[in-house]
Amino acid sequence: MIMKSTNKKISKTFGIKLLTVLIISLGLMTACAPPKSPEEVGATDPELLRESVKVLTEVMVNDIFSPPVASRVYVYSSVAAYEAVALNNDDYNSLAGQVHELTEGPKAGENVNLEIAGLHAFLTTGEELIFTTDEISMYRDSLYQDFLDKGLSKKVLNASKEYGQQVADHIISWANKDNYKETRGTQKYVVTDEPGRWVPTPPQYMDAIEPNWDKIRTMVLESPDQFKPVPPVPFSMEKGSEFYKQVMAVYDAVEKAESEHIAIAKFWDCNPFATRVKGHFMFAIKKITPGGHWMGITSIVTRDNEDDFAKTAAAYAETSIALFDAFISSWDEKFRSNLIRPETVINKYIDADWAPLLQTPPFPEYTSGHSTISRAAAEVLTKIYGPEVYFEDTTELDYGLPVRSFNSFIEASDEAAISRIYGGIHYPMAATHGITQGEGVGKFVADNLILSK
C-alpha cells in the first residue's frame, strides 16, 4: 500500500513537471517565432480606415456636432491620414502648397508602416477635435493590441505610432490657426422683426448655428464668397409675387407628398438637432450630419472599387476638403441673406397648423446647405471615379432607414437637393442655386487638387 501511494505521488509530480516543461517550451517557441509583417496581421487593410471614419462619425452623432463643425473634424482627420501616406509614397503628392497654409510635414523613419501611421494620425487628430474621446482611444488601443496579438513586432508598431503622432501634431498645429477658436467668442446672430429675416424655429427655437463660419480659413477656395449665388427673390407675401410662389411650392410639396417623396426627404434628413416632444419631455433623435452622409458614400465607393489604403485615404481627403469649403461657402450666403424659413412664413401668413415633414434646422434658409455640399462632394467623387458609377447607399441603415441606389454621384446630389423641398424646409430656389453654388465649389476643388501623380 505504501509503494502504490509513493508511485502515485511520483507519477503526479512527473506529470506536473512535464506539463510545466511543455508550457515553457511552447512559450519559448512563440517568443522565438519571427514577427509577422503588417500585411500578414491585416494592418494595411483599407477597411480599417473606413472603420475608423465610422467610429469618428458615431462619436460626433452622439455628441451632436453641427454640420459645419463636423466637416472640420472630418477634413483635418482625413488630411492627417492622407499626409502620413503621401509624404512617403512616390505615387501621391502632399497637400502642402495645395491647401492654404499647410507646410510639408515630417518624413517617415525606419521601421514605419505607413498604413498604421495613417490610422494613428487619423484617430489622434480626430480625438483632438471632438468632445468625448474615450471611444476613440479605446478603439485605437484595441486595434494595436490586435496587431500585437497577431504577431506584429513592437518595434514596427511603436515606430509607426510615433510617426503617425508627428503627422497628427503637424496637422493639429495647422488646424489651430484656422480661426475656429477665435470664432467661439464672436457675436451671436441678432434676431429682429424685419420682414423676411430668419427667426428661430420650433420646437426648440435654438439660436442660429455658426453665424461666423465665413471667418474660418478655407482649404482651396480663394474666399468664402468666391461662388456667391444670386440673391434670393425679394420677400413679399402678395399673391402672385415670386416669393409667394416659392412659399406655395413648399406648402404644396408637403400637403401633396407622395410616399416616394417622403422616403427621399427622410433619407437625406441628416439633421443632428432633430428632437421629439413627448408630454413634458423633449429628447434628441441621433442622426448623421450631411457631411457624414457623404463620407459614408465615400466609404461605400472605395470599398466597391477595391481601393487600397492610399487611394482610400486620398478619396476621403479630397471629398472632405470639398465638403469643408462648401459649408463655408453656403454659410457665407446664409448669414448674408438671412432668409426666413418656410415654416415661419406659412404659419404666419397661410396656415397656423402647418408643419414641415422634417424638422427645420436652426439657421437661415438660403442657400440649401444640403444642395451645396452634396453637389460639391459629388463633383469630386465624379472626378475620381467617373460620371457613371452605380452604388447602393447603405449609409442610413444604422439610423433605421432603407438602402437607396444611384447611378451616379450627381444623381445622388440632385436627390439630396430636392429632398429639402419635399421635407418642407427649403424653397425651390435654395435648392436650385445651392446646386449651382456647390458645383462651382466642387469643380474648383477638383481642378486645383492633384493628389495622385
Side-chain angles (χ1 to χ4, degrees):
M1 294 294 291
I2 295 172
M3 284 293 294
K4 286 182 179 180
S5 176
T6 303
N7 288 339
K8 284 182 179 179
K9 288 180 180 179
I10 293 171
S11 177
K12 185 177 181 182
T13 302
F14 178 77
I16 292 171
K17 287 182 177 179
L18 180 61
L19 181 61
T20 302
V21 170
L22 288 172
I23 291 172
I24 293 172
S25 299
L26 183 61
L28 289 171
M29 288 173 63
T30 304
C32 295
K36 293 182 179 179
S37 69
E39 290 78 11
E40 290 175 306
V41 303
T44 61
D45 187 352
E47 197 60 38
L48 294 178
L49 183 55
R50 299 182 193 111
E51 190 176 90
S52 297
V53 172
K54 186 173 183 180
V55 170
L56 184 61
T57 295
E58 289 170 351
V59 172
M60 288 195 285
V61 168
N62 288 325
D63 282 351
I64 313 181
F65 273 67
S66 72
V69 176
S71 76
R72 181 176 183 265
V73 178
Y74 282 128
V75 76
Y76 288 120
S77 303
S78 298
V79 169
Y82 174 75
E83 286 294 286
V85 175
L87 284 164
N88 308 278
N89 190 321
D90 292 337
D91 295 329
Y92 289 90
N93 295 307
S94 168
L95 286 166
Q98 298 195 69
V99 294
H100 299 312
E101 298 180 7
L102 177 62
T103 57
E104 189 168 323
K107 293 290 182 69
E110 294 182 357
N111 300 311
V112 170
N113 173 261
L114 298 180
E115 288 85 357
I116 296 176
L119 290 171
H120 189 86
F122 179 90
L123 292 167
T124 302
T125 303
E127 185 180 32
E128 179 69 20
L129 301 174
I130 59 176
F131 305 138
T132 306
T133 60
D134 289 351
E135 189 171 344
I136 296 290
S137 59
M138 288 173 60
Y139 170 74
R140 184 179 54 216
D141 291 346
S142 67
L143 196 63
Y144 297 159
Q145 188 59 54
D146 183 59
F147 294 159
L148 292 174
D149 291 344
K150 289 178 179 177
L152 182 70
S153 78
K154 287 186 178 180
K155 181 185 290 186
V156 170
L157 178 60
N158 290 337
S160 303
K161 286 168 56 180
E162 183 179 345
Y163 177 60
Q165 186 67 53
Q166 291 172 8
V167 174
D169 290 343
H170 183 70
I171 297 302
I172 291 167
S173 176
W174 171 55
N176 286 337
K177 300 170 185 174
D178 71 352
N179 212 34
Y180 174 77
K181 292 181 179 179
E182 289 76 5
T183 60
R184 299 309 86 192
T186 48
Q187 186 177 10
K188 293 183 178 181
Y189 177 89
V190 178
V191 177
T192 72
D193 58 1
E194 181 184 343
R197 186 178 170 91
W198 182 85
V199 294
T201 51
Q204 291 179 291
Y205 297 93
M206 292 176 63
D207 288 339
I209 297 298
E210 298 297 340
N212 302 292
W213 201 251
D214 64 323
K215 307 297 190 300
I216 303 297
R217 178 187 61 204
T218 59
M219 289 281 161
V220 181
L221 292 187
E222 295 169 358
S223 65
D225 63 352
Q226 183 176 349
F227 293 98
K228 178 181 175 182
V230 298
V233 298
F235 176 82
S236 170
M237 285 308 293
E238 289 186 17
K239 288 187 177 182
S241 72
E242 286 302 313
F243 188 84
Y244 183 83
K245 292 176 184 177
Q246 293 282 324
V247 173
M248 292 309 298
V250 180
Y251 181 83
D252 290 342
V254 173
E255 291 296 295
K256 302 173 183 178
E258 300 175 6
S259 58
E260 175 67 358
H261 296 170
I262 295 172
I264 289 171
K266 290 183 176 180
F267 185 78
W268 293 100
D269 185 13
C270 306
N271 181 2
F273 301 107
T275 58
R276 293 288 183 273
V277 178
K278 207 168 188 179
H280 296 291
F281 297 97
M282 181 179 291
F283 55 93
I285 305 298
K286 301 294 186 181
K287 293 185 180 182
I288 199 170
T289 63
H293 192 133
W294 280 93
M295 291 295 281
I297 290 174
T298 306
S299 295
I300 292 164
V301 71
T302 58
R303 184 182 297 117
D304 290 348
N305 201 54
E306 298 182 352
D307 290 341
D308 63 13
F309 193 101
K311 187 170 181 181
T312 300
Y316 279 130
E318 193 160 2
T319 302
S320 64
I321 288 170
L323 290 168
F324 183 78
D325 274 4
F327 270 112
I328 293 175
S329 179
S330 179
W331 254 245
D332 173 67
E333 178 56 41
K334 281 182 179 295
F335 289 94
R336 177 172 31 252
S337 52
N338 291 308
L339 187 61
I340 195 169
R341 287 278 183 171
E343 182 173 15
T344 308
V345 176
I346 292 170
N347 286 164
K348 183 175 182 179
Y349 295 98
I350 298 172
D351 182 351
D353 296 323
W354 183 90
L357 178 62
L358 303 179
Q359 185 174 307
T360 301
F363 34 79
E365 193 274 346
Y366 187 85
T367 51
S368 159
H370 261 63
S371 305
T372 306
I373 68 102
S374 294
R375 181 50 64 90
E379 290 292 346
V380 163
L381 289 169
T382 298
K383 166 201 167 182
I384 300 171
Y385 297 102
E388 296 181 2
V389 176
Y390 172 84
F391 66 96
E392 295 182 351
D393 189 352
T394 58
T395 307
E396 297 290 339
L397 281 176
D398 290 342
Y399 307 95
L401 294 171
V403 176
R404 293 189 67 82
S405 59
F406 303 97
N407 294 306
S408 71
F409 304 113
I410 298 299
E411 181 183 295
S413 70
D414 282 341
E415 186 176 281
I418 202 169
S419 76
R420 316 314 278 165
I421 303 166
Y422 294 156
I425 59 177
H426 274 296
Y427 308 113
M429 61 180 172
T432 301
H433 296 148
I435 288 173
T436 303
Q437 185 178 9
E439 184 175 297
V441 173
K443 287 184 174 179
F444 187 79
V445 170
D447 290 345
N448 285 274
L449 289 184
I450 304 174
L451 275 65
S452 59
K453 294 180 180 178

